[in-house]
Amino acid sequence: MDDAFRELLSSLARMTSQAMQRAALIQQRREVASTLQDALLSRLPLVPGLDLAARYHPASEADKVGGDWYDALA
């Protein structure tokens, strides 16, 4: 195996490692965002004289977060 081929393999290994690290970071961020979103989605309180409604529709289908809507009507 000559030096040029070793350098090529070394470069490919570095790029692959960086790509895998980026993918893992993106997945971790998605999991954190999803966990936070789930924590924010709670049951609405019972308030005499009020009808409360909540709807959740993700702002982003890819991440499944954002897009919370709450209304309170007398």
Side-chain angles (χ1 to χ4, degrees), residues 34-47:
S34 179
T35 299
L36 289 172
Q37 183 66 53
D38 288 344
L40 293 172
L41 297 174
S42 59
R43 291 189 180 269
L44 296 176
L46 296 176
V47 180

Side-chain angles (χ1 to χ4, degrees), residues 28-41 63-65:
Q28 180 185 22
R29 287 182 178 177
R30 282 185 177 168
E31 289 172 5
V32 167
S34 179
T35 299
L36 289 172
Q37 183 66 53
D38 288 344
L40 293 172
L41 297 174
D63 295 328
K64 303 285 186 204
V65 297

Side-chain angles (χ1 to χ4, degrees), residues 11-28:
S11 293
L12 287 173
R14 278 193 303 275
M15 287 188 274
T16 301
S17 173
Q18 290 171 354
M20 291 177 70
Q21 288 173 349
R22 283 191 301 272
L25 180 60
I26 290 168
Q27 180 62 32
Q28 180 185 22

